[in-house]
Amino acid sequence: MYNTPKLSVVGAGPGDPELITIKAVKALKSAKVVLYDALINRELLEYAPQAEHVFVGKRKDKHRYSQDEINELIVKNALEKGHVVRLKGGDPFVFGRGSEEITYARSKGLETEVVSGITSSVAVPANVGIPLTQRGTSESFWVITGTTSQRKLSNDVRLAAQSTATVVILMGMSRIAEIAEVFSRFGKEDTPVGIIQNGTTVNEKAGFGTIRNIVEVVKNKKLTAPAIIVIGEVVKEANALQQVFHNVKSIPEQTKFIDADAV
């Protein structure tokens, strides 16, 4: 099918192997080499039994390959073997550096395509019943990286904290205290927060609280990366919290929410 060296940058979705697109599966079935990341579900590699599988994952402070080395691997394998699939968690154009890989491959004469994936920023909250927008509650949402390329908290967190939008933060667990401090500075201490670790997978776990107590919730529930942080009134719609509220109707709503993580 592919007569020229080609790179397909493919989104693997948020973790559940069923949350992958048909187009992504077709790309995997035609691949000669699959370069895959740490957060992809390994079951997806079964769609490419004919291909060589190469792990190039990067986790916090543990990089098997630098980005430059990954770029070189893409080109080398495409020139030698044909179709290379770069399989990346979520959507490759949402904090996935997919555009950098596409740009580099094109500069070396490779044919390229992007296969969008279901982004964890939307799918993970949805999986626990949190709508990012809701009529009368939230008209928009921000998706922000918790840590910039300079290893600092994004300045956009400060801007988002001043809005009424739902705020979704990826790669922010190591900075949860900083994030809470920023929101507190703008009078958002009672704003609901949900944190979902390993979302959409069998290892999923979550904790709920408010800006005021979320650092303690994280500590008590031993929540770690990879996790999605959702901040906003829509967090009250979470499945787990709805069950708590249903069973404790006599308690004022705000009190119920603050105590939900202890149930």
Side-chain angles (χ1 to χ4, degrees):
M1 184 175 179
Y2 300 105
N3 298 317
T4 59
K6 178 172 182 174
L7 167 66
S8 293
V9 176
V10 175
D16 182 342
E18 294 184 354
L19 291 176
I20 190 168
T21 66
I22 293 172
K23 190 170 184 177
V25 170
K26 288 180 177 179
L28 285 167
K29 286 182 176 179
S30 67
K32 298 300 182 184
V33 179
V34 178
L35 306 179
Y36 66 96
D37 277 350
L39 294 181
I40 70 114
N41 191 308
R42 301 299 195 276
E43 290 182 35
L44 298 178
L45 298 175
E46 296 175 11
Y47 288 117
Q50 76 295 336
E52 178 184 355
H53 303 158
V54 181
F55 175 68
V56 294
K58 291 179 285 187
R59 299 297 294 272
K60 184 180 178 182
D61 301 323
K62 295 180 181 179
H63 292 190
R64 186 178 180 91
Y65 293 96
S66 69
Q67 188 61 54
D68 288 343
E69 289 172 330
I70 292 172
N71 291 344
E72 292 295 339
L73 276 175
I74 290 170
V75 173
K76 180 178 183 293
N77 281 285
L79 292 175
E80 292 179 357
K81 300 171 185 177
H83 185 206
V84 173
V85 164
R86 179 73 172 96
L87 190 60
K88 305 171 78 70
D91 182 279
F93 274 22
V94 180
F95 304 129
R97 304 189 72 171
S99 62
E100 297 174 39
E101 294 169 351
I102 287 289
T103 298
Y104 187 82
R106 286 176 177 168
S107 75
K108 299 299 181 180
L110 271 60
E111 182 182 342
T112 63
E113 73 169 343
V114 179
V115 180
S116 297
I118 297 175
T119 173
S120 59
S121 59
V122 173
V124 169
N127 197 56
V128 297
I130 300 174
L132 297 189
T133 61
Q134 186 178 55
R135 188 167 59 175
T137 302
S138 175
E139 299 175 351
S140 60
F141 63 92
W142 294 60
V143 179
I144 307 172
T145 178
T147 305
T148 67
S149 57
Q150 288 77 40
R151 301 296 177 189
K152 296 180 180 179
L153 183 68
S154 172
N155 188 55
D156 283 348
V157 173
R158 181 180 62 81
L159 298 174
Q162 300 174 67
S163 76
T164 59
T166 303
V167 181
V168 182
I169 301 176
L170 284 65
M171 299 175 285
M173 288 301 288
S174 65
R175 301 185 181 277
I176 187 64
E178 290 180 70
I179 292 167
E181 182 182 353
V182 170
F183 276 79
S184 294
R185 203 180 303 153
F186 291 100
K188 300 291 184 71
E189 293 93 343
D190 295 325
T191 301
V193 184
I195 296 181
I196 308 101
Q197 177 182 331
N198 295 315
T200 78
T201 74
V202 295
N203 298 316
E204 180 180 282
K205 58 188 294 191
F208 300 92
T210 63
I211 288 295
R212 191 188 308 277
N213 70 348
I214 195 60
V215 172
E216 188 170 346
V217 171
V218 168
K219 180 180 178 180
N220 291 342
K221 291 190 171 290
K222 297 180 172 61
L223 296 171
T224 61
I228 304 292
I229 302 167
V230 186
I231 304 171
E233 294 300 319
V234 292
V235 173
K236 292 180 181 178
E237 300 299 317
N239 296 333
L241 295 178
Q242 289 300 300
Q243 185 63 41
V244 171
F245 295 166
H246 178 74
N247 293 333
V248 198
K249 289 183 179 179
S250 61
I251 301 176
E253 184 172 334
Q254 186 61 44
T255 304
K256 284 186 289 185
F257 187 83
I258 293 173
D259 291 344
D261 61 279
V263 175

